[in-house]
Amino acid sequence: MTLTRAKISWRTIVSRMGLFSLIWWVLTNGAGSSWWIGVPAVLLAVAVSIALVPPAPWVWSELLRFVPFFLLRSLIGGVDVAWRAFHPGVPIAPDLCIYPMRLPPGLPQVFMVNTVSLLPGTLSVGLDQSVLKVHVLDSRKDFLAELEAVEQSVARIFGASLEVSEGRE
Amino acid sequence: MQTLYLALALFLLVNLGAGMWRIFRGPTAADRMLSAQLFGTTAVAVLLLLAQTKENTALLDVALVFALLAAVTAVAFVRRAWTDQEVDHDSE
Amino acid sequence: MLQWALDALLGLGLLWLAWCALMSPNLLKAIVLFVAFGLLMALAWVRLDAPDIALAEAAIGAGLTGALLLAALARLRFAYADEETVGSPAQEEAKVRFPQWLPAVPLLLVVAGLGYVVLSLPPYATGLSTEVTANLESSGVSNPVTAVLLNFRGYDTLLELVVLLVALLGVWSLDGLALGRETAPGPVLDTLSRFLTPVFILVAAYLLWVGAHAPGGAFQAGSVLGAAGVLLLLAGWRFRAGLTELPLRLVLVAGPGAFVIVALVTMLMEGQLLEYSPEQASILILFLETTATFSIGATLAALFFGGRPQDDKEHT
Amino acid sequence: MIPSDYLSVALLIAGAIFFLAGTLGLLRFPDVYTRLHALTKADNVGLGLIVMGLVVQAESWAAVGKLLLIWVLVLLAGASVAHLVARGALQRGIRLWKR
C-alpha cells in the first residue's frame, strides 16, 4: 500500500472533474436541477480519487487508438471461446506460460493484466515482480505476438518506453 | 420488438438455469463462485432488456447497481471465504 | 404468453433456489445459492412493477449480504479451525440437546398468525395509495415511496436506522474474532478498489438525488457507499487509528441523530412528531437522507469489518 | 421496422448467443481456468452486443452513456475478478487441466 506522492497538477484535477461531471450528467440524464447534489458529489469524488489514484500520464490520443483495437480483439476473443464451447470435441489445449513484462509497475502493468484477460485465448493468472503468468486456452496458437502487441500499445498509452526499462535487471 | 425483448430475457433466464448446474457440481469452491458471476452478468443483461420493455429508466439504475456490486461479492469470496486447501465436504 | 413463461420461471426458480439454499449442507454453496436468490428476487420485483424494491434488493440483497455472509463464513471457519469442521464432538452434542423439530413450533405459530391476518382482511380494499397520491403535493418529493418512507411514516425509517445501529452495537459487543492472516491483495484488486471508489460515490449521490422523484433513496445510496467501504477493506485498506474512534462513531450516529433532532424540533414547532410543513419538507428530507446515507454506509462497512476497529491490531 | 431496428435485433440475438456460449463453456470446459476463459470473454462480449443493440434504439445521449457506463463497469469488474479467481486458484494449488 505504498502511495507515491506524485505531484498533483491542475491538469489532473480539471480532467478528473470533467470526467466525473460527465458521469454525473450521464447518470442523471442531464437533469439541470441535479447539480445541487451533483457539484458536492463530483468534488467529493475528485478529492477521493486524488487521494486514491495517483495521477497517470495518459496519452489520450493513444488511448483512443487503443479502443477500437481492444474492442475488435475482445470480440474475436468472444468468438474464439464461443467456437470452442460449441464445438462437439471441445478443441482446447490449455497451458501456462510466463511473460516477463517490460512495462513499469503500477497502473501500466495492471492495465495490461486486465486487457490480457479479455483478449482471445489468454487469461492472466498471476503477476509477480513484473512477471506475468498467462493461462492460454490453446497453446498451439501464437499468443506471444499478441502479448507483445498489447504491451507495445499499453506502453504508448502511458508514454513509457520499453527499451529503456529493458535493462532494469 | 417487445416480444423479442421478452423472448431474449426468457432465453437468458433459461440459460442461467443451465449455468446453475455448476453451483451443484463444483468441484471446487471457485467453480461455484463462477456461477454467481454468471448470475451477475446475466442479471444485468436481463434488466437492460426489461428496462426496454417497460420503458422505465429506473431499471437501468438497478442494472447499474448490479454491475457495481457483483464484483464486491466475488472479491469477498476470493479474499475471505476461500480456504487455503480445497476440501469439499459434500459429495453429491 | 411470454410474460407468463417468464414469471412462472422466476417464481419457480425462486422457490427452488430457496429450498436448495436452506437444504445445502455445504455453507459456501448455500451462500452462492442465496446470492443467486437475491439476483432473481430483484428480477421478480421488476416484473411486479416495484423498481424501488428491486433497487434495494440489488444493493442490499444481492450485493452486500453476500459479502457479509462470506465474511461470516470465513470467521466461522477460522474459529473452528482447530476442531474438525464436520461432526465435531461439540456439534454432535449440540444436535442431541437441541431437537430439530423445535424451531418448527414458533414457525407454525407465525404461519398461523399470518394466515389469520390474511383471512381476516376485508375482501375489497383500496389500500392507501390513493391517499398517498392525494397528499403527494405536500410531501416535498414526487416519488410516492420516498414520501411514505421519509414523511408520512418517517418514524418507520427512524426506527430502521436505529435497528441497523443496534445490530452494529451487537456485533461490537461480541468478542471480536480475529481474521486469519490476510494475503497481499495484489495490484489488480488494489487498482480496482481505487478506481471504483469515486464511481461508487457518484452513484450513491445519484441514488440519493433520484430518490426524490424516482426509485432510489438513502438506503440504496447508503448500501452503495457501504459497498465501497467493503471493497476498500477487502483490498487491505485500513483507516488510521485516530479516525476509527470518535469520527467513525459520529458518522454512525449522524443519521439517526439528525432524525431524532428533526423529530423533536418538528414536535415543538408543528405539534406532531416528524410533521414537516410543506415548504420545508423538501429540504428537510434531503438533509435527513444525506445524513442517513453516510450513516448507513458507515454502519454496513463496519458490520462487514466485524469487531471494533481499534481491536484490529494485526494490520499495518 | 426501420433499418436501425434490424441492426438492433441482430445485435441482441448475437448477444444472447454469446451468453449461451458462456454457459456452455462453464458446463463443458474441464477446469476452473478454462471455465474462466469462457465466462469472462463470452459473457462480456454478449453483454457488449446487447448494450450495442439497445444503444441503437436509445433516445438520448445520456441513455447511451449510461448503457456504456454499465458495460465498462462490468468489463472492468469481470476482468479483475477473473484474474483474482485464477490467481487464487493457482496460489491454492488447483492444478490445471492439460490435454
Side-chain angles (χ1 to χ4, degrees):
Chain A
M1 299 265 93
T2 45
L3 216 160
T4 40
R5 276 264 160 251
K7 225 176 82 193
I8 289 147
S9 64
W10 279 103
R11 205 173 135 248
T12 315
I13 297 178
V14 169
S15 65
R16 283 183 194 188
M17 221 177 260
L19 178 67
F20 293 149
S21 303
L22 180 69
I23 293 181
W24 182 263
W25 179 80
V26 160
L27 286 173
T28 57
N29 209 352
S33 61
S34 74
W35 291 100
W36 263 90
I37 298 177
V39 170
V42 166
L43 290 179
L44 182 65
V46 169
V48 169
S49 92
I50 294 287
L52 290 179
V53 186
W58 301 92
V59 182
W60 288 101
S61 59
E62 291 292 342
L63 189 65
L64 286 180
R65 267 176 58 188
F66 181 74
V67 170
F69 166 79
F70 170 76
L71 288 180
L72 185 67
R73 293 307 296 174
S74 69
L75 180 65
I76 292 174
V79 173
D80 173 75
V81 86
W83 167 71
R84 288 169 206 275
F86 278 122
H87 196 283
V90 190
I92 53 173
D95 204 353
L96 202 61
C97 90
I98 302 288
Y99 185 82
M101 275 196 283
R102 291 165 294 169
L103 287 169
L107 198 54
Q109 285 193 357
V110 174
F111 193 95
M112 171 151 178
V113 168
N114 281 338
T115 310
V116 162
S117 293
L118 295 170
L119 293 183
T122 53
L123 173 76
S124 40
V125 295
L127 171 64
D128 189 25
Q129 318 236 305
S130 299
V131 175
L132 181 64
K133 280 191 200 129
V134 184
H135 184 268
V136 290
L137 205 49
D138 192 343
S139 54
R140 294 161 296 193
K141 273 175 58 173
D142 182 26
F143 48 85
L144 275 176
E146 170 115 36
L147 290 177
E148 263 168 30
V150 174
E151 194 175 23
Q152 296 284 355
S153 320
V154 177
R156 280 199 299 273
I157 291 173
F158 288 96
S161 147
L162 297 180
E163 276 67 43
V164 172
S165 51
E166 196 143 29
R168 76 196 138 82
E169 264 100 6
Chain B
M1 273 322 255
Q2 294 289 322
T3 324
L4 178 78
Y5 298 139
L6 279 174
L8 284 179
L10 186 64
F11 173 81
L12 289 179
L13 273 185
V14 173
N15 186 39
L16 198 60
M20 296 267 311
W21 171 244
R22 256 304 149 222
I23 303 186
F24 296 97
R25 189 71 180 74
T28 69
D31 290 303
R32 300 187 206 286
M33 209 57 219
L34 286 189
S35 306
Q37 275 301 98
L38 172 73
F39 263 82
T41 328
T42 311
V44 170
V46 172
L47 279 168
L48 293 182
L49 289 168
L50 288 182
Q52 199 78 4
T53 62
K54 300 222 170 205
E55 311 248 326
N56 188 344
T57 47
L59 299 186
L60 285 185
D61 298 341
V62 184
L64 181 72
V65 170
F66 261 123
L68 271 176
L69 295 199
V72 175
T73 317
V75 174
F77 163 73
V78 173
R79 298 283 293 159
R80 289 281 189 275
W82 203 352
T83 42
D84 279 357
Q85 64 281 46
E86 275 292 345
V87 273
D88 252 356
H89 292 307
D90 66 330
S91 45
E92 273 175 61
Chain C
M1 171 54 209
L2 270 173
Q3 310 225 356
W4 268 95
L6 200 65
D7 294 344
L9 195 65
L10 274 175
L12 291 174
L14 277 171
L15 283 175
W16 182 63
L17 276 173
W19 177 254
C20 292
L22 284 173
M23 298 313 284
S24 162
N26 180 327
L27 287 180
L28 181 87
K29 197 163 95 186
I31 294 175
V32 175
L33 286 167
F34 179 79
V35 171
F37 178 85
L39 291 167
L40 222 54
M41 196 70 223
L43 293 180
W45 287 122
V46 167
R47 290 293 305 156
L48 287 169
D49 268 329
D52 283 271
I53 313 181
L55 198 57
E57 181 67 42
I60 303 171
L64 268 182
T65 337
L68 274 172
L69 286 174
L70 285 167
L73 178 67
R75 278 162 199 269
L76 271 180
R77 281 203 184 130
F78 188 70
Y80 292 112
D82 3 324
E83 305 171 34
E84 282 290 308
T85 326
V86 224
S88 68
Q91 276 193 340
E92 290 298 318
E93 206 181 335
K95 253 184 206 156
V96 178
R97 270 206 227 133
F98 190 72
Q100 295 230 322
W101 50 265
L102 207 58
V105 177
L107 214 59
L108 279 176
L109 283 175
V110 170
V111 170
L114 279 176
Y116 172 75
V117 169
V118 169
L119 289 176
S120 63
L121 282 174
Y124 299 106
T126 46
L128 292 168
S129 49
T130 41
E131 280 187 54
V132 170
T133 322
N135 289 305
L136 203 55
E137 285 272 296
S138 62
S139 73
V141 289
S142 59
N143 176 14
V145 177
T146 307
V148 170
L149 285 182
L150 279 138
N151 195 335
F152 305 149
R153 287 181 67 87
Y155 47 91
D156 265 7
T157 309
L158 168 61
L159 290 179
E160 274 173 43
L161 287 175
V162 174
V163 165
L164 204 57
L165 194 61
V166 169
L168 181 65
L169 290 182
V171 170
W172 276 6
S173 63
L174 294 173
D175 204 14
L177 268 178
L179 263 182
R181 64 185 174 75
E182 199 169 39
T183 48
V188 172
L189 177 57
D190 186 51
T191 309
L192 181 73
S193 66
R194 286 161 189 265
F195 268 68
L196 281 189
T197 305
V199 183
F200 273 94
I201 291 174
L202 287 174
V203 170
Y206 163 65
L207 289 175
L208 188 67
W209 168 76
V210 83
H213 52 86
F219 269 87
Q220 289 89 337
S223 12
V224 168
L225 219 52
V230 168
L231 193 61
L232 286 174
L233 285 172
L234 285 171
W237 274 83
R238 297 292 180 271
F239 279 112
R240 275 197 318 267
L243 281 177
T244 55
E245 286 285 340
L246 190 63
L248 175 68
R249 284 159 199 237
L250 282 179
V251 175
L252 289 176
V253 295
F259 232 120
V260 169
I261 291 170
V262 168
L264 288 175
V265 170
T266 50
M267 196 165 71
L268 289 176
M269 287 178 51
E270 311 276 329
Q272 193 135 30
L273 199 68
L274 288 170
E275 163 111 25
Y276 326 127
S277 64
E279 305 87 64
Q280 296 155 353
S282 170
I283 193 82
L284 267 179
I285 288 179
L286 180 64
F287 169 67
L288 287 179
E289 290 223 275
T290 311
T291 49
T293 301
F294 282 108
S295 286
I296 292 169
T299 314
L300 289 173
L303 272 176
F304 178 82
F305 187 75
R308 272 175 293 179
Q310 61 266 39
D311 292 349
D312 182 68
K313 297 254 156 51
E314 60 196 319
H315 284 294
T316 47
Chain D
M1 293 225 293
I2 50 173
S4 74
D5 280 1
Y6 288 104
L7 178 62
S8 172
V9 169
L11 287 167
L12 288 175
I13 291 178
I17 291 171
F18 275 102
F19 270 97
L20 176 65
T23 308
L24 270 181
L26 181 69
L27 298 182
R28 296 184 71 201
F29 282 4
D31 68 356
V32 67
Y33 306 101
T34 45
R35 286 178 203 136
L36 270 172
H37 276 279
L39 204 57
T40 315
K41 296 195 232 312
D43 278 12
N44 280 340
V45 171
L47 187 65
L49 289 173
I50 286 183
V51 161
M52 289 302 160
L54 296 177
V55 159
V56 175
Q57 307 251 324
E59 279 141 19
S60 68
W61 282 106
V64 171
K66 201 180 260 188
L67 285 166
L68 290 179
L69 180 67
I70 291 172
W71 186 50
V72 168
L73 285 173
V74 170
L75 263 189
L76 176 65
S80 305
V81 166
H83 168 78
L84 288 173
V85 172
R87 174 175 174 264
L90 203 66
Q91 281 172 349
R92 286 164 180 80
I94 296 179
R95 268 202 251 127
L96 59 122
W97 181 89
K98 278 192 188 178
R99 190 170 285 277

